């Protein structure tokens, strides 16, 4: 074997014995991104929240400098859940007062539309305003069965008694719920002959005075405001175009009512704040 062949053979033997492949011999090394296998770790056990009902029991003592804070709607809704009410019985207003430690005493006024006797006020204890965002404390809330000599409850009660209780919203089909506000995007619509006849009955006319045409616009809620033109027919009652208004205004929920029996209609007089009446009159004329 020639010297050249022997030299090549020695080089190949060295390569094979070293574990390298031919790619290393003839090409540039191939670089690969390093890979890592994540190592599973055991999370540290978190400390249990401190139960302040045991560590710092509620005593009902009034905190120094405590003042009354009006309860928010969301807080009142939460207290209704805790008190097991809602529906016919609600808490329309309430007051919070800072008591001992992180506790707050709450007095709420009650309102019911159902049967049976309901206490005019209810009382609760909560630490949510203090610890709602504190991971080391778990907020608690409960209803007080009795207040006894609870100074914080007495102060909260005195404050809540000074708050006006909002009136219940009227039934959507009660005339009291009509505001005269024009519904967004409201357009004028012609009044049907059937509705005109119904409005004549509501207006106490017919025969001598009739409503030959009318326009209506959507007002607040289910209500529609209607402007009708009046027509004075030959009569022996003394009605003329000189003593009868050329137009009349009504409010009705007939287009929104589920059935004729549920329809409510009543007359109104136009006034400056009734934007629906002004639009209906403008369309009629």
């Amino acid at each position: 074997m020639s010297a050249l062949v022997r030299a090549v053979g020695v080089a190949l033997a060295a390569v094979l014995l070293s574990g390298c492949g031919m790619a290393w011999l003839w090409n540039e090394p191939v670089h690969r991104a390093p890979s890592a296998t994540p190592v599973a770790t055991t999370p540290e056990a978190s400390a249990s929240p401190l139960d302040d009902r045991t560590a710092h029991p509620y005593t009902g003592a009034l905190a120094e400098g405590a003042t009354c804070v009006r309860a928010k709607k969301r807080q009142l809704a939460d207290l209704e859940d805790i008190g097991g009410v809602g529906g016919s019985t609600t808490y329309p207003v309430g007051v919070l007062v800072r008591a001992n430690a992180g506790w707050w005493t709450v007095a709420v006024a009650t309102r019911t539309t159902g049967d049976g006797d309901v206490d005019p006020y209810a009382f609760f204890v909560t630490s949510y305003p203090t610890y709602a965002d504190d991971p080391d404390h778990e907020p608690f809330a409960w209803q007080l069965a009795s207040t006894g000599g609870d100074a914080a409850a007495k102060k909260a009660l005195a404050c809540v008694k000074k708050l006006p209780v909002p009136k219940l919203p009227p039934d959507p089909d009660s005339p009291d719920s009509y505001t005269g506000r024009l519904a967004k995007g409201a357009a004028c619509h012609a009044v049907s002959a059937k509705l005109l006849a119904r409005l004549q009955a509501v207006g106490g006319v017919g025969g001598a005075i009739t409503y030959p045409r009318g326009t209506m616009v959507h007002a607040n809620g289910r209500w529609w405001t209607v402007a009708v033109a009046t027509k004075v027919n030959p009569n022996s009652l003394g009605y003329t175009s000189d003593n009868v208004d050329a137009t009349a205004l009504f409010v009705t929920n007939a287009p929104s009512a589920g059935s004729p029996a549920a329809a409510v209609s009543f007359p109104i007089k136009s006034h400056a704040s009734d934007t629906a009446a002004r639009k209906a009159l403008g369309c009629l004329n």
Side-chain angles (χ1 to χ4, degrees), residues 57-275:
Y58 172 76
T59 66
L62 194 62
E64 184 177 355
T67 58
C68 292
V69 180
R70 185 162 184 166
K72 299 178 181 179
K73 288 184 178 180
R74 180 59 194 170
Q75 292 172 323
L76 292 171
D78 290 340
L79 293 175
E80 287 177 4
D81 289 339
I82 296 170
V85 298
S88 61
T89 301
T90 56
Y91 301 150
V93 292
V95 165
L96 294 85
V97 174
R98 186 69 180 262
N100 68 294
W103 301 110
W104 293 73
T105 310
V106 191
V108 297
T110 61
R111 178 171 60 195
T112 184
T113 57
D115 298 329
D117 295 330
V118 175
D119 292 334
Y121 301 97
F123 300 87
F124 298 84
V125 176
T126 179
S127 60
Y128 277 86
T130 304
Y131 299 127
D133 300 319
D134 188 343
D136 295 328
H137 292 79
E138 181 179 353
F140 295 97
W142 70 91
Q143 185 171 4
L144 285 173
S146 64
T147 57
D150 193 324
K154 288 181 180 179
K155 184 174 181 65
L157 177 60
C159 289
V160 79
K161 283 183 175 181
K162 297 177 182 178
L163 294 179
V165 177
K167 293 182 179 179
L168 281 170
D171 184 273
D173 291 318
S174 166
D176 292 336
S177 67
Y178 175 73
T179 66
R181 291 193 303 268
L182 192 64
K184 186 177 181 180
C188 291
H189 300 270
V191 180
S192 67
K194 184 176 181 179
L195 183 53
L196 287 171
R198 177 180 298 171
L199 295 179
Q200 285 181 181
V202 173
V205 298
I209 301 171
T210 54
Y211 301 149
R213 63 187 179 90
T215 58
M216 62 183 182
V217 294
H218 195 186
N220 68 290
R222 303 177 186 177
W223 298 112
W224 294 72
T225 309
V226 186
V228 297
T230 61
K231 178 182 179 182
V232 180
N233 302 303
N235 64 89
S236 59
L237 301 176
Y239 293 123
T240 68
S241 57
D242 294 330
N243 56 26
V244 174
D245 293 334
T247 60
L249 289 168
F250 294 88
V251 174
T252 183
N253 65 354
S256 306
S259 64
V264 177
S265 304
F266 54 92
I268 61 168
K269 293 186 178 296
S270 179
H271 50 82
S273 62
D274 195 322
T275 56

